[in-house]
Amino acid sequence: MTQSSFDEMLERIDAIVKNQIIPLETLLLTQQWDQLYPALDEIRQNVKAANLWAPNLPADVGGMNLSTVELGQIAEVSGQSPLGHYCLGCQAPDAGNAELLHIYANDFIKSHFLLPLAQGEIRSCFAMTEPATAGSNPTLLEATAELIDDQWLINGRKWFTTAADGSQFTIVMAVTEPDAPKHQKASMIIVPLDNPGYRMIRNIPVMGHEGKGYYSHSEVEFVNCKVPANHLIGQRGQGFKMAQQRLGPGRIQHCMRWIGIARRCFEIMCKHVKNRPITGTSTLADQAVIQSKIAESYAAMNASRTLVMETAKIIDEAGWAAARHHISMIKFECANMLQSVVDNTLQSMGALGMTDDSIVAFFYREERAARIYDGPDEVHKISLAKSLLKQF
Ligand SMILES: Cc1cc2nc3c(=O)[nH]c(=O)nc-3n(C[C@H](O)[C@H](O)[C@H](O)COP(=O)(O)OP(=O)(O)OC[C@H]3O[C@@H](n4cnc5c(N)ncnc54)[C@H](O)[C@@H]3O)c2cc1C
């Protein structure tokens, strides 16, 4: 694709986000799920017809087959709305699951689960974190899967299984090799969610909001849950290796989306302060402290974008492993940039920022989690610092 045709495509996506997707946010903010999902489905069909579906996936499963640098630019544009990635078919956790299955799944899983997932005909979720064990160190996880008579018998409780509500299958991470070294104990197994051994306990209220369907996080349990042996992804004991493989792309895609959120908030902040009279003759935009927030937000957002694009370039040229430390760096850096830009925006809007009359409060409560999921700040800082210190 030439640069000019890529730029033209970005403009088309930006127009879809601004003209079709952002107007639907009111349905999200007022939790009118029955109207929201059919409206989103219609946009998804149009996106497919316009060949803009699944920018994260390779062509053989119907994706756009883009480089990471190209994906980053699209993810920023569609990330401007919390509905954007879903409309383009590149939303977490489906995106990470599809990318993982594309690499590791057997032919049965590819035809029964990956293809309909990649086409957006079904949804999926990823069940690794448990309420009773520290998710920051998943080698502690306690869920088990035992192979008996050609069937996996799965037991365990998981939570923060994003988008489990209405999903057709989950990838569950469970201990299959209890006596192996700690990084070779767990495996990943597919469980269709109509299985009688699976139960969704609740959608967890997060910052006071339960959500529904794709926009939710569930607590779930597996009680003597049986699935055929061929539902194993990859090899036994490869779970942590595959989790790293899944989370690497997942993390950079989150960072790209967060830059889109920062860009949206930045625009909202600038428009608001220019239009808010604060004295008879001046607006908020004339105040030095507000100008400072504008300048700091702009600098932080652009610095994050530069780091993310540098990381994307390393991935494209040298592969994921070569970008491992960059990915840790951008994960905490971009999450903190996001929190500060969203907070600056909310603060400059005063009481309005606290309401659901704008999207800012949604970003504020929903994206606080950015500093926790896919590895909390501390874990990424420790990992980066340890590797840097080795050089001295
Ligand atoms: C909105 C949201 C969506 C999520 N979606 C999913 C999903 O789809 N699937 C899934 O499996 N999981 C999901 N998670 C879970 C997420 O991955 C875990 O919350 C994360 O790994 C942290 O684990 P924990 O919550 O058990 O925190 P803990 O491991 O108990 O850590 C608590 C806190 O301690 C600090 N900490 C941790 N380790 C260290 C350390 N070594 N040194 C110093 N401080 C440390 C950090 O500040 C951390 O936040 C989601 C979480 C959220 C909030």
Side-chain angles (χ1 to χ4, degrees):
M1 194 182 301
T2 63
Q3 188 61 46
S4 69
S5 58
F6 183 78
D7 291 345
E8 185 268 330
M9 184 175 72
L10 274 186
E11 279 172 27
R12 276 197 293 147
I13 296 173
D14 194 44
I16 294 172
V17 172
K18 293 201 166 105
N19 303 331
Q20 298 178 40
I21 298 178
I22 287 179
L24 295 179
E25 286 174 354
T26 320
L27 298 175
L28 175 70
L29 296 175
T30 52
Q31 304 189 43
Q32 296 185 62
W33 309 110
D34 293 344
Q35 290 180 48
L36 176 65
Y37 283 111
L40 294 177
D41 284 342
E42 203 179 314
I43 298 179
R44 282 157 73 97
Q45 293 312 322
N46 296 340
V47 160
K48 274 186 198 166
N51 295 322
L52 299 171
W53 181 255
N56 60 313
L57 289 179
D60 61 346
V61 286
M64 291 173 70
N65 216 27
L66 299 175
S67 68
T68 316
V69 168
E70 289 168 328
L71 174 62
Q73 294 168 74
I74 291 183
E76 176 177 337
V77 172
S78 73
Q80 293 175 100
S81 169
L83 306 171
H85 275 42
Y86 184 75
C87 288
L88 262 61
C90 59
Q91 72 284 357
D94 293 317
N97 286 349
E99 291 160 23
L100 178 90
L101 295 183
H102 187 260
I103 299 171
Y104 289 103
N106 58 35
D107 289 345
F108 164 77
I109 294 177
K110 279 188 175 155
S111 63
H112 281 75
F113 298 100
L114 171 59
L115 288 180
L117 179 66
Q119 284 305 304
E121 290 158 10
I122 60 172
R123 286 200 293 101
S124 67
C125 51
F126 184 73
M128 180 159 83
T129 307
E130 303 176 348
T133 60
S136 303
N137 180 3
T139 63
L140 300 175
L141 67 84
E142 289 174 348
T144 57
E146 206 181 340
L147 191 61
I148 304 171
D149 296 336
D150 226 25
Q151 287 203 312
W152 290 106
L153 180 72
I154 305 169
N155 282 289
R157 182 177 283 229
K158 303 284 181 178
W159 81 340
F160 279 88
T161 309
T162 296
D165 184 8
S167 280
Q168 276 72 19
F169 74 89
T170 188
I171 295 175
V172 65
M173 181 96 145
V175 174
T176 53
E177 328 298 315
D179 301 324
K182 64 179 182 174
H183 285 104
Q184 291 158 29
K185 278 184 197 289
S187 303
M188 286 190 193
I189 299 170
I190 294 220
V191 177
L193 296 189
D194 58 359
N195 189 303
Y198 163 85
R199 184 166 75 97
M200 193 180 101
I201 299 167
R202 59 170 177 154
N203 278 342
I204 305 163
V206 176
M207 296 276 190
H209 288 248
E210 260 179 40
K212 194 167 169 57
Y214 171 65
Y215 293 92
S216 65
H217 311 281
S218 301
E219 183 163 358
V220 305
E221 74 176 349
F222 304 84
V223 179
N224 295 327
C225 176
K226 290 181 187 164
V227 296
N230 66 354
H231 283 215
L232 176 76
I233 305 168
Q235 306 296 316
R236 291 179 69 138
Q238 254 191 340
F240 291 114
K241 183 177 160 216
M242 291 189 293
Q244 283 312 315
Q245 171 78 40
R246 183 185 178 281
L247 288 170
R251 284 170 182 142
I252 188 168
Q253 287 174 32
H254 277 309
C255 293
M256 293 161 165
R257 184 174 60 81
W258 296 337
I259 293 166
I261 296 174
R263 170 167 151 180
R264 173 92 181 276
C265 286
F266 182 77
E267 283 173 20
I268 292 173
M269 171 164 57
C270 290
K271 284 181 186 157
H272 179 80
V273 297
K274 284 201 80 169
N275 287 307
R276 187 69 165 172
I278 201 69
T279 66
T281 54
S282 68
T283 65
L284 278 177
D286 298 315
Q287 309 305 311
V289 280
I290 297 289
Q291 291 166 357
S292 173
K293 285 192 203 310
I294 303 279
E296 284 169 10
S297 299
Y298 188 73
M301 183 171 68
N302 279 299
S304 282
R305 185 188 292 109
T306 304
L307 279 182
V308 169
M309 284 302 145
E310 184 180 287
T311 308
K313 200 158 174 281
I314 296 173
I315 292 165
D316 285 340
E317 289 171 3
W320 289 101
R324 204 159 61 88
H325 297 133
H326 263 72
I327 290 172
S328 273
M329 176 167 64
I330 60 172
K331 171 65 180 52
F332 68 80
E333 192 62 24
C334 295
N336 282 272
M337 174 282 295
L338 175 68
Q339 200 186 339
S340 125
V341 174
V342 174
D343 188 67
N344 279 343
T345 306
L346 193 152
Q347 183 71 15
S348 68
M349 292 170 79
L352 173 63
M354 298 296 296
T355 71
D356 283 337
D357 290 355
S358 97
I359 193 71
V360 176
F362 177 92
F363 285 140
Y364 190 88
R365 60 177 180 262
E366 196 69 15
E367 298 300 344
R368 176 61 181 82
R371 294 183 49 213
I372 297 174
Y373 58 69
D374 285 9
D377 286 0
E378 292 82 353
V379 171
H380 287 290
K381 286 180 185 174
I382 290 167
S383 150
L384 177 63
K386 275 187 180 163
S387 102
L388 294 174
L389 286 168
K390 278 188 195 145
Q391 301 166 22
F392 293 88

